[in-house]
Amino acid sequence: MIIVDTALSKLEEKNTPIKVALVGAGFMGRAIALQICKFTPGMKLVAISNHHPDKARQAYLEAGITETSEVSFTSQLESNIRDDRYSITSNAMLLCEAEGIDAIIEVTGAIEFSAHVAMCAIENGKHVILMNAELDGTIGPILKYHADKAGVVITNADGDQPGVTMNLYRFVKSIGLKPVLCGNMKGLHDPYRNPSTQESFAKKWGQKAAMVASFADGSKISFEQAIIANGTGMRVSKRGMAGPTVEISGTALKDAIQLFDAEELLKEGPGIVDYIVGAEPGPGVFVLGTTSHPLQQHYLNLYKLGEGPFYLFYTPYHLCHLEVPTTVARAVLFKDAALTPLGRPYVEVVAAAKTDLKAGTAIDGIGHYMTYGLCENADIVQLENLLPLGIAENCILKHDIPKDQILTYDDVILPEGRLVDQLRIEQVEHFKMKTSELIQP
């Protein structure tokens, strides 16, 4: 951040801002627009796309921009950019195709639609910042492969918990410790929550009930921890992670981490991703690091981190939209991703039945009534032909599925013609993830 804010200030002085476009003007999109337009020097939000353009216009109004122009063609958008005018549109692909835009921020939470946006942006040489762990956790590795070929950065966002975790992970490694656990903190986990149970909370904060339910039912944290695993090479110790729960009031994080299996964490290997429910201070992230060097242990004890073998590093908050512009600047100016896949998938999110499911039914979306997500190591996902949660929406069930059963590809009929399915096939083939070719840890 110290480097980034200085670099942005210099761009502001020269009047040569990073030019950014935003796809999605919902709850989080509006907040990002506000942050860039009002509080980020050296960066300009030149265009917003939303299915309903009036919402894009409203996002600009809330950010203090009163004059916008609705565009329908790439040439119109490019002309507005040259003339220093702000644009809105219902066609996200215009943002991806237009010259004069450095980066696309994707914040819809969709998967099939967002796959098209990400691929179009990459093909047109634009950096992609995802506030979309669901997309990243489903096809992130193959998107990264295409981004590398195109010479652009694709990254999840700082400020959201995965990006904050990755900052902490990099810090722990930089001081010579080995990270053995990347952890997330939750206040609630109930896999059977749905839009009906979360409606009042969602209404209070102006959010969509299904999005709120995806946090409550564990799907969101599964995607978040999966993309951290894919960015670090870590795994999960068991399907669904351990996820110990403590008393919500008064249990300190330093005490709650004792519930993790010390022998598991001290094993040779890449470490694990996991989470805790109820610990304080939340709702942040933490990393457990270790070192076998006796003098280093002595100094860490002096610095009040304890006697080991595990040393706790944590950030007790995540500020979501406030730090998205920093992610943009890191990508555009320094080619540095806040969080991006290392290569092949290491952990994926599979679909489990939230209730008894009936044959012939079309599966609804993430955070709705029919499925919830669980982390599983990618090798096992391939070996058992498990159905990723990011693929499940709109699939037709071939037969009845009992509550809590994990779905497989054999249980469903896939919709025809989806890009996300094509990219999944490419991902499996490119990273040699077929069961006969599995790369073992």
Side-chain angles (χ1 to χ4, degrees), residues 396-438:
I396 305 298
L397 291 163
K398 293 180 180 178
H399 40 251
D400 293 352
I401 301 291
K403 182 178 179 180
D404 293 320
Q405 180 170 304
I406 308 298
L407 279 73
T408 73
Y409 274 102
D410 294 331
D411 295 324
V412 299
I413 301 169
L414 296 175
E416 294 184 0
R418 294 193 306 188
L419 177 61
V420 68
D421 296 311
Q422 298 170 26
L423 289 170
R424 279 289 303 189
I425 292 169
E426 184 183 355
Q427 181 167 283
V428 169
E429 292 177 348
H430 177 76
F431 293 107
K432 302 186 185 303
M433 296 295 292
K434 294 180 181 179
T435 54
S436 61
E437 301 172 325
L438 285 180

Side-chain angles (χ1 to χ4, degrees), residues 57 166 176 203 305 321 347:
R57 183 179 288 109
M166 195 65 186
K203 186 176 181 179
L305 289 185
H321 76 278
V347 171

Side-chain angles (χ1 to χ4, degrees), residues 178-181 237 242 244 254-269 271-272 274 288-291 308-311:
K178 177 188 176 183
V180 294
L181 188 150
S237 60
K254 65 181 179 63
D255 297 321
I257 60 172
Q258 307 302 321
L259 296 173
F260 289 108
D261 186 339
E263 290 186 9
E264 177 72 29
L265 297 181
L266 290 173
K267 287 180 181 177
E268 287 295 323
I272 64 171
D274 216 306
L288 297 183
T290 190
T291 177
F310 306 116
Y311 302 94

Side-chain angles (χ1 to χ4, degrees), residues 33-224:
L34 175 68
Q35 188 66 22
I36 294 175
C37 294
K38 297 288 285 185
F39 305 110
T40 306
M43 190 174 295
K44 183 176 181 180
L45 182 61
V46 299
I48 302 176
S49 170
N50 196 76
H51 181 66
H52 299 289
D54 284 347
K55 289 190 175 181
R57 183 179 288 109
Q58 181 64 30
Y60 267 129
L61 284 171
E62 292 174 359
I65 306 299
T66 58
E67 294 187 12
T68 56
S69 173
E70 186 170 351
V71 298
S72 301
F73 302 99
T74 304
S75 58
Q76 293 175 308
L77 176 54
E78 291 174 339
S79 177
N80 281 356
I81 293 169
R82 288 192 298 268
D83 294 340
D84 206 27
R85 296 195 299 265
Y86 297 92
S87 299
I88 62 172
T89 182
S90 62
N91 187 350
M93 300 309 156
L94 301 186
L95 279 55
C96 301
E97 295 166 356
E99 293 183 2
I101 294 174
D102 300 303
I104 301 292
I105 305 172
E106 202 292 318
V107 65
T108 67
I111 292 183
E112 174 65 10
F113 170 77
S114 300
H116 285 273
V117 170
M119 285 299 295
C120 188
I122 289 167
E123 289 165 0
N124 284 277
K126 292 175 175 56
H127 304 291
V128 180
I129 289 79
L130 297 174
M131 288 207 74
N132 191 332
E134 295 86 348
L135 179 72
D136 201 344
T138 304
I139 54 171
I142 199 64
L143 292 177
K144 171 64 159 49
Y145 165 72
H146 285 287
D148 286 348
K149 285 203 305 179
V152 297
V153 172
I154 186 166
T155 176
N156 220 269
D158 197 357
D160 221 349
Q161 284 174 306
V164 178
T165 303
M166 195 65 186
N167 290 342
L168 205 51
Y169 172 90
R170 288 170 65 173
F171 169 74
V172 171
K173 284 190 69 176
S174 75
I175 61 173
L177 275 67
K178 177 188 176 183
V180 294
L181 188 150
C182 285
N184 206 325
M185 299 172 69
K186 287 176 62 69
L188 168 71
H189 182 200
D190 176 357
Y192 310 118
R193 294 296 177 106
N194 59 52
S196 297
T197 65
Q198 307 310 116
E199 184 175 5
S200 60
F201 183 91
K203 186 176 181 179
K204 175 182 177 182
W205 294 103
Q207 295 176 281
K208 292 181 178 178
M211 177 62 72
V212 174
S214 75
F215 284 91
D217 73 10
S219 298
K220 178 70 76 170
I221 199 170
S222 296
F223 278 114
E224 290 179 340

Side-chain angles (χ1 to χ4, degrees), residues 279-296:
E280 296 179 347
V285 301
F286 62 97
V287 172
L288 297 183
T290 190
T291 177
S292 59
H293 195 287
L295 190 54
Q296 211 56 323

